[in-house]
Amino acid sequence: MAAFVDRVVLHVSGGTGGHGCVSVKREKFKPLGGPDGGNGGDGGDVILRVDDQTTTLLDYHHLPHRHATNGEMGRGDLRHGKNGETLILPVPDGTVVKTRDGEIITDLTGVGAEYVIARGGMGGLGNASLSSQKRKAPGFALLGIDGDSRDVVLELKTVADVALVGYPSAGKSSLIAALSAARPKIADYPFTTLTPNLGVVQAGNVRFTVADVPGLIEGASEGRGLGLDFLRHVERCAALVHVLDTATLEADRDPISDLETIEAELANYAVDMSFAGADGTVVPLNERPRLVALNKTDMPDGADMAEFVRKELEGRGYRVFEVSALTREGLRELSFAMAELVQNARDVAQTAPAVAPVEVVRPRSVNKAEFVIRKEERNLEPLFRVLGEKPERWVKQTDFTNDEAVGYLADRLAKLGVEDQLFKSGAKPGDAVAIGEDNAVLFDWEPTMAAGAELLASPRGTDLRLGEFTRPTRDQKRTEHQERRDAKEAARMELEAERKAGIWTESVNYKHQQGKKSE
């Protein structure tokens, strides 16, 4: 039998982007045809989507770690990597997504509702995308970055119109089984119901859903019993029905005290703000429309107890119904009373002004800083930390084993104004500079360093083999040819003059004669 799980901690992470490719096109008669490295694919997203075939969070209880597909690496010949596939996680209708601290992220209601819980990482650019007029043959590519990774809490809150609340063994499960086609577990011991049960009830032209909430006891709103785990299933309900046991065998209990205890627990329970109405207010559980069902009137003392407490309950403003789940007495009147409350709630929801989703457009500020520099101290020495979306992303995309890639990062940071801002912040050559908060890149700042460009055989981003050479004109060729002829003629005249003078530098006799003269 499948277990019912309505709260799990889910660890999700988007796919990692693929790395860009470094490649140079090579063809016959054109060995260096320019860069043709493709871009890496983006990582896949993780999406939560409401599925009508999913009723529990059991799958995520057993497998809480979910990761989307990574993007593929780029290849040569301008072949871009494949994007990672989106991972869709089906969740039941009524799932609330929260952070570990309890902050509500989204409330998923309605089949097909979805939310991107973790976005995939960006793929890196290949050297073909990095080429420009000044950087004709980049010898590097950008790396893909990791996707979003986060821990979220999934809470299932039953989507029902009416909730049956009461003490354990008050007959709630028997009542929902008699009103609908639901078949919950029924036994003669407390806390038989361990999971909420749903049943569909038809009363006249009104069809509504009833939820059987596990039994509540004193202190349920503080965690005693099962109440704290299942009180959240009452939050979506428009009306409540107090099921009171009129034939209890416990000496310290009676319908009036049971009602007061359950009302106190409902008043102490804080409803999430995600269930706020159009005016932004949340109706507490103890202020919602309520009915009282005096159950087990078929028992010998049940009818007498119901008659005894009925007047006092009506004096407190409750509509009271004497029912029996066994003989089905009074169930028709109770079902029509619940249908009336549900229809009134639906009419109010329809007549209320529709709150259209307001699309908030936040244009980027012209003077908004792309980064900030925070001065810290490390080992009694100054540390300057650079924080910003662009600098941190650029660092993740840089291959620090490639000198040209490091130089490209230095150019980007200088163009963004990081070096000028470090000067203004009081940084001196040799001071420690960190980029990023977590897993930061730490280095000693040298503003005069060329960032690896001096190690290249040609200016950074260029290749002498791919330089553009213009063909000489016919006049230029004629001039060069005449210059070579003149140079050869001058050399002949010089040799002829030496011959006439009897000087032959390459002659063995001449060298021998010169040796004798030196002696």
Side-chain angles (χ1 to χ4, degrees):
M1 181 178 179
F4 179 84
V5 177
D6 64 345
R7 187 181 189 278
V8 295
V9 178
L10 188 62
H11 312 276
V12 293
S13 57
T16 302
H19 299 331
C21 177
V22 181
S23 175
V24 176
K25 190 175 183 64
R26 292 174 175 84
E27 294 180 351
K28 189 176 182 180
F29 306 117
K30 195 175 182 181
L32 299 173
D36 66 344
N39 303 333
D42 297 333
D45 300 333
V46 181
I47 298 179
L48 300 176
R49 179 179 296 172
V50 176
D51 183 17
D52 55 353
Q53 301 298 320
T54 305
T55 58
T56 179
L57 302 174
L58 181 62
D59 292 343
Y60 309 120
H61 174 72
H62 294 305
L63 298 174
H65 296 270
R66 300 301 176 99
H67 180 75
T69 308
N70 298 333
E72 295 183 356
M73 294 180 58
R75 296 176 177 85
D77 199 15
L78 295 177
R79 291 177 294 175
H80 303 306
K82 181 182 177 182
N83 294 334
E85 296 182 0
T86 300
L87 177 62
I88 298 178
L89 303 179
V91 295
D93 190 7
T95 301
V96 178
V97 185
K98 297 182 178 180
T99 63
R100 281 293 191 94
D101 299 331
E103 181 182 355
I104 296 177
I105 300 175
T106 183
D107 184 9
L108 298 174
T109 56
V111 177
E114 61 181 31
Y115 182 80
V116 180
I117 195 64
R119 295 197 174 275
M122 182 187 304
L125 297 179
N127 64 340
S129 299
L130 296 173
S131 62
S132 62
Q133 290 293 332
K134 296 183 178 180
R135 188 184 297 105
K136 298 182 182 299
F140 68 99
L142 299 184
L143 304 179
I145 60 178
D146 297 334
D148 297 337
S149 180
R150 61 194 307 187
D151 298 339
V152 295
V153 178
L154 303 184
E155 289 186 355
L156 175 58
K157 300 187 178 182
T158 305
V159 181
D161 299 306
V162 181
L164 305 180
V165 296
Y167 260 79
S169 299
K172 300 183 296 299
S173 299
S174 302
L175 195 59
I176 195 174
L179 287 171
S180 67
R183 293 296 176 262
K185 180 180 179 181
I186 300 174
D188 57 351
Y189 54 85
F191 296 109
T192 306
T193 303
L194 300 178
T195 63
N197 299 302
L198 291 179
V200 180
V201 180
Q202 183 77 34
N205 297 327
V206 181
R207 175 176 293 184
F208 56 94
T209 307
V210 179
D212 167 24
V213 181
L216 305 178
I217 61 175
E218 186 176 1
S221 61
E222 299 175 358
R224 292 189 59 192
L226 301 176
L228 183 62
D229 294 334
F230 296 107
L231 267 175
R232 57 174 168 267
H233 292 277
V234 187
E235 291 181 313
R236 301 185 189 274
C237 298
L240 306 178
V241 175
H242 287 282
V243 181
L244 304 179
D245 187 359
T246 60
T248 179
L249 299 178
E250 300 181 23
D252 57 343
R253 283 183 50 196
D254 60 82
I256 300 297
S257 62
D258 289 355
L259 177 65
E260 293 176 349
T261 301
I262 300 302
E263 284 285 340
E265 298 305 321
L266 295 177
N268 293 333
Y269 183 78
V271 183
D272 280 343
M273 291 300 298
S274 60
F275 305 104
D279 55 354
T281 60
V282 178
V283 180
L285 298 181
N286 62 328
E287 296 182 7
R288 299 183 184 184
R290 300 181 300 284
L291 302 176
V292 173
L294 299 175
N295 195 21
K296 302 182 181 179
T297 57
D298 58 290
M299 301 292 288
D301 297 333
D304 297 337
M305 178 62 72
E307 185 66 24
F308 180 75
V309 300
R310 182 184 182 94
K311 292 184 179 180
E312 183 173 353
L313 293 174
E314 291 178 345
R316 297 187 181 187
Y318 295 102
R319 293 179 61 185
V320 182
F321 297 86
E322 299 180 12
V323 299
S324 172
L326 180 63
T327 63
R328 298 179 181 271
E329 180 183 357
L331 295 186
R332 178 178 174 82
E333 293 79 4
L334 177 62
S335 62
F336 275 86
M338 290 190 292
E340 181 182 352
L341 296 180
V342 172
Q343 188 61 45
N344 293 338
R346 292 174 180 175
D347 294 341
V348 172
Q350 291 179 358
T351 57
V355 181
V358 180
E359 182 178 358
V360 180
V361 180
R362 295 184 176 90
R364 180 181 176 184
S365 177
V366 177
N367 299 324
K368 182 180 178 180
E370 296 285 355
F371 63 93
V372 294
I373 295 180
R374 188 174 65 199
K375 188 174 182 180
E376 302 176 0
E377 186 174 309
R378 183 177 67 99
N379 298 331
L380 301 179
E381 294 183 358
L383 171 67
F384 297 87
R385 189 177 299 275
V386 181
L387 301 176
E389 179 183 356
K390 284 186 177 181
E392 295 181 25
R393 185 177 75 246
W394 293 346
V395 166
K396 296 177 181 178
Q397 293 176 327
T398 301
D399 179 11
F400 286 94
T401 62
N402 188 306
D403 296 324
E404 190 176 353
V406 176
Y408 178 67
L409 173 63
D411 291 343
R412 300 175 86 179
L413 294 176
K415 186 176 181 180
L416 192 62
V418 173
E419 186 168 310
D420 295 338
Q421 192 63 32
L422 286 172
F423 274 117
K424 294 180 182 179
S425 301
K428 299 178 181 179
D431 289 344
V433 175
I435 301 180
E437 191 73 47
D438 299 328
N439 299 324
V441 175
L442 184 66
F443 59 93
D444 294 334
W445 185 52
E446 294 293 342
T448 57
M449 186 174 61
E454 68 279 359
L455 301 178
L456 302 176
S458 59
R460 186 188 307 147
T462 62
D463 192 332
L464 296 178
R465 298 171 296 175
L466 301 180
E468 296 182 359
F469 299 97
T470 57
R471 298 181 61 183
T473 62
R474 185 171 300 176
D475 293 339
Q476 291 176 343
K477 290 182 178 180
R478 187 180 295 111
T479 303
E480 293 177 358
H481 178 68
Q482 187 63 37
E483 290 177 353
R484 287 195 297 270
R485 291 186 61 182
D486 295 342
K488 290 180 180 180
E489 184 64 24
R492 292 194 193 99
M493 294 178 63
E494 183 178 357
L495 292 175
E496 183 64 20
E498 293 180 354
R499 186 187 67 80
K500 292 180 179 180
I503 302 175
W504 292 90
T505 56
E506 299 298 329
S507 174
V508 178
N509 295 330
Y510 175 78
K511 293 181 179 179
H512 182 67
Q513 294 175 1
Q514 291 295 108
K516 286 184 178 181
K517 290 181 180 180
S518 61
E519 292 176 358

